[in-house]
Amino acid sequence: MTQSQRKILVTSALPYANGPIHLGHMLEYIQTDIWSRFQKMRGHECHYICADDAHGTPIMLKAQQLGIAPEAMIAQVQKEHEQDFADFNVAFDNFHSTHSDENRELASDIYIKLRDAGHIKTKTISQLYDPEKSMFLPDRFVKGTCPKCKSDDQYGDNCDSCGATYSTTDLINPRSAVSGATPVMKDTEHFFFDLPAFEGMLKEWIHSGSLQSEMANKLNEWFEQGLQQWDISRDAPYFGFEIPDAPGKYFYVWLDAPIGYMGSFKNFCAKRTDINFDDFWAKDSSAEVYHFIGKDIVYFHSLFWPAMLEGAGLRKPTSVYAHGYVTVNGAKMSKSKGTFIKARTYLDHLDPEYLRYYYAAKLSSRIDDLDLNLEDFAQRVNSDLVGKLVNLASRTAGFISKRFDGKLAAVKDNSLAESFIAKQEVIAEFYEAREYGKAMREIMTMADIANGFVAEQAPWQLVKEDDKQAQAHEVCSIALNLFRILTTYLKPVLPRLSQDVEAFMQLELTWANLAKDMTAHEIAPFKAMMQRVDLDKVAAMVDASKDNLQPTEAPKADKKADKKVDKSADKSAPKKVSSDAPLTDSPLTDDPISDEISFEDFAKLDLRIALIAKAEHVADADKLLKLQLDLGGVTKQVFAGIKSAYAPEDLEGKLTVMVANLAPRKMRFGMSEGMVLAAGPGGDELWILEPHQGAKPGMRVK
C-alpha cells in the first residue's frame, strides 16, 4: 500500500544543561526516535530536532560554583548529552542549543511581534531579593519555616513535610539558599504575556484532537481557575537573552526554551539547501509538527507555547504527545537503592538495544508511568530478542552456509511469509499511534509461529537424510526470510541489530521490500548478534549507580532547582493540580524502603473475597475505576487504579480480593472504602487477584 509523502518535524523536550542524562530521560528520546525512524522507513520526509536547554538561574549558579563561565559549562554538558544519545542510537537530524544566535533572533522576533500586537503587558511586582548577591530570588532559592506546620528548611513555594503550598512571602524566617542572607522585599517591573487573550483559541485547540484526552481534561482546570498573565521576564543577573529595548531584563527560560525547537531547525536548514524553514513554521504550513514531552511540562507546551505562536502569526503544533514517568522496580528512582541510573552508567554495563526494546514493549499512547523492572527486563529481552528473534537465524543459517553454498532456496509454499507480510499495515498503525507495546506483541506472536515452524520441521534432522536435503534447504530459507521480515518490523526499535542483520542478509531492510523474492539470494556467514542479558552486569550497574550518585557538597539550592520542575518559575500555574496523578510530581527523588511491619500488624488485614457488582469510569481520572464490591450482603465502594489494564465491562461479575478493613479515605471523586489487590509491572500488564473456583463473596482469605 503506497502513501503520499508527508513532511514531518518531530521534537523531544530539550534536556536541561545542568546535569547528566538518566534512564528516566531516555524513555522520551527512545520513544521519539522510534517514531521518527518509522516515519523515515515509510518513505516520509521526517526531521528529528532537539537541543540543550541552556538558560536560567540554576545554570548560572552552578557555573559560579564550578568557577567557570556558563558558556563553558553548557558546552561541556552538551558534548556529554550528545555522546549519550548517540550511544543509545538516538538519531537526531540536528542537536543544537538554546544559547544560540538562531534562538536569540527568533525569541526577539516573536517577542516583538507579541509586543507590537498588544500581547505584552508590564506591571510592578514585589519579590524577595538577596542583598548580598544583588539578585532577585526564585521561590526555590528561598528556604525557611513552613507557615502551616512550622517545619524548618522548606522551600519558598511548598512544604515537603505537610504538602502545603504558599506564597514565598508567607515563609517564616526566610533566608537565601544562595548566600544565606535574609532576603528583603524589592519592587521591580516585569513583562507579562497576556495569556487570557487567547482563551477561546486555546479551548478550541486543546479539544481539537491535538492532545491526548487525559491532558485535554487536565488543562480544563486552568480555565476553571481563570487564565492569568504569564511573567516572561527575569532581572539581572540572569543567564539568558536580554529582552529587546529593556536593559537589565531577560527572557525567562521557558520563553525561549520551546523557541529552541525552531532555533535548532533553523540551524539545520542553514546546513541544507533542500529544506525551507517557512515550509514548516509559517501560518499556512501544510507540514506536520509533533512534540514528544513528559507530563510534567504539558501546560508550557499546550497553553503558553500555542498562544505565543498564535500571537506571533506562526503555526501551532499538529500534536503534543505526553508520556508518564519511569519508575524502577515499582518505585521512584532512588539513589540509595542504586536505581537512579545515569545513561552513561547503563552504557558502561549493558547493550542500549536491550533498553530500547524493553521501553518499546511497555509503551502505549497513554500517559501511564512505565516501570523498569530489572528482573522482568532481563527475562523479556532474553526471551524475545535472543530466544525468539535471533534464535531463528542462529539455528538455521549455518546449514545454508555449509550445505547450500550460502544461497536461499526457491520456496514452493510461501504462505507463512505472506501471512507475516499481511501484518504490515496493522504494525504500521500501531507505530503511527505510538502503541509500540501492541506492535511488539504482534511481532513476537509471529516470532513464536516462526519458531514453532522450525521446531516442527527440524531441519537439523532433515539434513541427515540424503533424500531430504531440498526440504531442509527450503525450511531454512523460509526461516531466514521470516527472520528478515520480523527484523524489518523491529528496525525502528533495534537499529544496531538491524544493521547486523542487513550485513548478514546482504540487503537493506525496508518496508518497501518486505515482499521481495529471496530465491537464490546469497547470505553472509552468520555471526553472533546479541548476547543474553547477564544479571551480574545488571547488579554491577545498580552498584555503580550507588557509588556514582552519592550526595555531593553542592549547595542544597541546586538539588531541586532544576527548571523543569520549578513551580515557582511561573506564577500563573495552579499551585496544586487536583488529580489522581499530579502533573508536577517528580519520581526522581530518593525513596528509601519503608520500615518493616510485624507479623501481628500484617495479621490485622482483613482480606475478603468480593464480587465486582458494578464498575464504571471516573470522570477526569487517568487511572481510576469506581467499583461497587459485594462482600456477601455488604457493599463497599472502592476507587482502584487499574484503568490502564481493564475496561469496566471486563470486571463486572468477577470475583477478586480486597482489603475490607482499610479505613475509608475521602477522595476528590468520593469515598473509597477499601483496596482491591492487584499485581504486575503496570500499564496494561496489571492483574487483579482472582480467587480459586468455589470462592464466595464475603469469605475471608487466610
Side-chain angles (χ1 to χ4, degrees):
M1 178 179 175
T2 58
Q3 295 187 94
S4 58
Q5 190 187 56
R6 296 155 59 190
K7 294 167 73 76
I8 301 170
L9 176 62
V10 59
T11 75
S12 298
L14 312 184
Y16 202 41
N18 72 337
I21 302 297
H22 55 66
L23 297 194
H25 295 132
M26 285 310 309
L27 173 68
E28 181 172 307
Y29 303 100
I30 289 171
Q31 181 190 35
T32 320
D33 184 66
I34 290 171
W35 200 79
S36 170
R37 287 178 181 272
F38 163 72
Q39 300 297 350
K40 291 173 181 178
M41 277 190 73
R42 297 282 279 176
H44 301 306
E45 178 188 343
C46 180
H47 311 292
Y48 181 16
I49 301 299
C50 200
D52 260 357
D53 187 357
H55 290 155
T57 303
I59 284 176
M60 178 183 73
L61 294 178
K62 186 169 183 179
Q64 289 177 8
Q65 175 196 333
L66 296 173
I68 59 176
E71 291 83 356
M73 189 188 86
I74 62 174
Q76 178 60 35
V77 170
Q78 181 173 341
K79 181 179 178 182
E80 294 168 1
H81 285 181
E82 291 194 66
Q83 191 61 57
D84 287 347
F85 291 135
D87 290 348
F88 262 103
N89 303 318
V90 174
F92 297 116
D93 290 291
N94 200 56
F95 192 91
H96 204 35
S97 170
T98 59
H99 193 65
S100 67
D101 291 339
E102 295 91 349
N103 205 40
R104 183 192 302 272
E105 292 167 5
L106 285 164
S108 296
D109 181 60
I110 288 173
Y111 167 79
I112 290 170
K113 287 178 178 175
L114 294 174
R115 182 193 66 188
D116 292 351
H119 300 310
I120 303 296
K121 311 297 182 182
T122 60
K123 67 175 75 170
T124 299
I125 63 172
S126 294
Q127 282 189 308
L128 289 176
Y129 182 82
D130 186 327
E132 290 189 13
K133 288 290 186 178
S134 299
M135 62 179 289
F136 287 94
L137 295 169
D139 292 351
R140 281 277 168 174
F141 287 90
V142 182
K143 303 292 285 286
T145 301
C146 171
K148 307 290 185 181
C149 71
K150 305 303 187 288
S151 294
D152 195 18
D153 202 37
Q154 298 304 314
Y155 288 101
D157 58 348
N158 72 286
C159 177
D160 287 340
S161 294
C162 71
T165 58
Y166 40 76
S167 171
T168 312
T169 54
D170 294 333
L171 207 61
I172 300 171
N173 297 323
R175 67 184 183 280
S176 167
V178 181
S179 69
T182 300
V184 298
M185 294 300 298
K186 187 174 181 179
D187 288 347
T188 179
E189 185 180 59
H190 272 218
F191 297 80
F192 290 78
F193 174 54
D194 191 12
L195 186 65
F198 297 89
E199 180 172 338
M201 179 277 292
L202 287 171
K203 283 183 175 179
E204 181 179 347
W205 182 76
I206 284 167
H207 294 285
S208 67
S210 293
L211 304 181
Q212 294 131 301
S213 58
E214 306 102 301
M215 286 297 100
N217 291 335
K218 284 187 183 298
L219 289 170
N220 284 337
E221 297 173 4
W222 283 70
F223 299 106
E224 292 168 4
Q225 297 181 36
L227 296 180
Q228 303 295 316
Q229 293 182 346
W230 178 40
D231 189 345
I232 62 166
S233 63
R234 294 296 183 266
D235 293 279
Y238 192 81
F239 184 60
F241 295 143
E242 199 166 34
I243 297 176
D245 306 318
K249 304 291 183 180
Y250 289 79
F251 287 129
Y252 167 45
V253 58
W254 265 110
L255 184 286
D256 67 69
I259 298 173
Y261 301 135
M262 302 172 71
S264 182
F265 187 61
K266 191 166 189 177
N267 176 262
F268 178 58
C269 292
K271 302 172 185 176
R272 302 275 295 261
T273 58
D274 57 335
I275 305 171
N276 184 279
F277 179 86
D278 290 336
D279 287 348
F280 289 81
W281 287 105
K283 184 77 172 179
D284 59 353
S285 169
S286 61
E288 303 167 47
V289 176
Y290 299 95
H291 299 312
F292 285 72
I293 61 168
K295 64 182 179 181
D296 56 327
I297 55 173
V298 162
Y299 55 87
F300 287 110
H301 285 78
S302 303
L303 290 175
F304 307 148
W305 178 229
M308 286 168 53
L309 292 167
E310 178 76 11
L314 298 166
R315 60 87 44 80
K316 295 183 288 294
T318 307
S319 291
V320 176
Y321 296 137
H323 60 80
Y325 296 128
V326 172
T327 57
V328 180
N329 294 338
K332 296 175 182 179
M333 290 188 178
S334 166
K335 297 176 183 177
S336 63
K337 298 175 189 174
T339 55
F340 192 111
I341 303 167
K342 292 190 293 187
R344 183 51 50 187
T345 307
Y346 176 98
L347 291 164
D348 288 341
H349 295 86
L350 295 168
D351 187 336
E353 303 261 290
Y354 297 160
L355 190 69
R356 290 181 65 102
Y357 177 75
Y358 189 75
Y359 278 171
K362 302 194 78 173
L363 272 166
S364 73
S365 62
R366 298 187 302 274
I367 312 174
D368 304 322
D369 293 346
L370 185 151
D371 185 50
L372 171 58
N373 181 291
L374 294 174
E375 184 176 343
D376 178 58
F377 162 78
Q379 291 175 349
R380 187 174 300 213
V381 170
N382 290 342
S383 172
D384 290 1
L385 297 187
V386 181
K388 295 179 183 179
L389 182 68
V390 175
N391 191 44
L392 262 180
S394 64
R395 69 202 300 205
T396 57
F399 298 124
I400 297 291
S401 296
K402 295 174 183 177
R403 294 175 176 267
F404 306 114
D405 297 325
K407 295 181 180 179
L408 303 186
V411 175
K412 301 184 186 70
D413 181 3
N414 212 29
S415 59
L416 196 51
E418 289 170 356
S419 71
F420 281 26
I421 294 167
K423 293 287 188 180
Q424 64 177 292
E425 289 308 316
V426 172
I427 292 169
E429 288 171 7
F430 285 148
Y431 273 125
E432 179 70 39
R434 308 174 324 286
E435 293 287 354
Y436 302 162
K438 291 180 180 179
M440 297 308 102
R441 286 191 287 277
E442 193 76 44
I443 293 166
M444 286 305 150
T445 296
M446 288 188 281
D448 284 333
I449 293 170
N451 278 288
F453 165 77
V454 173
E456 181 183 356
Q457 296 295 319
W460 46 88
Q461 296 295 337
L462 296 174
V463 294
K464 295 177 182 178
E465 303 180 39
D466 292 341
D467 61 341
K468 293 186 177 178
Q469 296 301 302
Q471 184 181 351
H473 191 189
E474 186 172 353
V475 167
C476 292
S477 297
I478 291 172
L480 289 178
N481 192 34
L482 298 179
F483 172 66
R484 175 187 70 90
I485 295 167
L486 293 175
T487 310
T488 301
Y489 289 149
L490 286 166
K491 188 175 180 179
V493 180
L494 305 171
R496 195 270 305 155
L497 177 66
S498 298
Q499 288 180 345
D500 292 345
V501 173
E502 287 174 336
F504 161 61
M505 295 295 296
Q506 300 195 114
L507 84 170
E508 185 180 2
L509 301 176
T510 67
W511 219 271
N513 68 12
L514 279 167
K516 179 179 173 61
D517 182 4
M518 299 296 287
T519 300
H521 183 82
E522 188 170 354
I523 63 170
F526 180 81
K527 297 178 182 178
M529 293 180 176
M530 182 170 282
Q531 303 299 319
R532 294 174 62 83
V533 178
D534 186 338
L535 286 173
D536 288 341
K537 291 184 178 180
V538 175
M541 174 186 70
V542 171
D543 288 341
S545 297
K546 291 178 183 177
D547 293 338
N548 293 345
L549 291 160
Q550 293 300 312
T552 67
E553 295 302 314
K556 289 185 179 180
D558 279 341
K559 293 185 178 179
K560 287 194 176 181
D562 190 307
K563 143 275 188 195
K564 295 297 183 188
V565 294
D566 182 3
K567 292 183 288 183
S568 70
D570 169 42
K571 297 297 184 183
S572 62
K575 280 296 184 182
K576 185 177 288 185
V577 178
S578 180
S579 162
D580 57 309
L583 291 180
T584 54
D585 276 2
S586 171
L588 310 177
T589 54
D590 197 20
D591 185 31
I593 297 173
S594 301
D595 293 338
E596 295 176 350
I597 63 171
S598 67
F599 180 79
E600 289 75 16
D601 287 336
F602 174 73
K604 294 176 184 177
L605 295 178
D606 185 359
L607 303 180
R608 299 279 180 142
I609 305 298
L611 171 70
I612 304 176
K614 186 178 181 181
E616 55 189 312
H617 292 291
V618 179
D620 298 332
D622 291 342
K623 300 181 181 180
L624 298 180
L625 292 178
K626 180 180 176 181
L627 309 178
Q628 299 295 332
L629 303 177
D630 179 2
L631 284 83
V634 176
T635 301
K636 287 182 176 271
Q637 175 175 281
V638 171
F639 291 94
I642 56 175
K643 184 175 180 178
S644 62
Y646 292 97
E649 57 269 23
D650 298 333
L651 293 171
E652 291 185 357
K654 284 182 178 289
L655 292 176
T656 188
V657 179
M658 74 168 293
V659 181
N661 64 336
L662 192 65
R665 177 188 174 200
K666 187 175 182 180
M667 303 179 69
R668 177 161 69 99
F669 315 102
M671 192 69 73
S672 188
E673 302 173 296
M675 178 182 291
V676 171
L677 302 187
D684 57 3
E685 297 184 60
L686 188 67
W687 300 276
I688 60 169
L689 301 192
E690 296 186 44
H692 60 78
Q693 190 173 5
K696 302 292 184 185
M699 290 177 60
R700 185 186 290 270
V701 178
K702 296 185 177 180

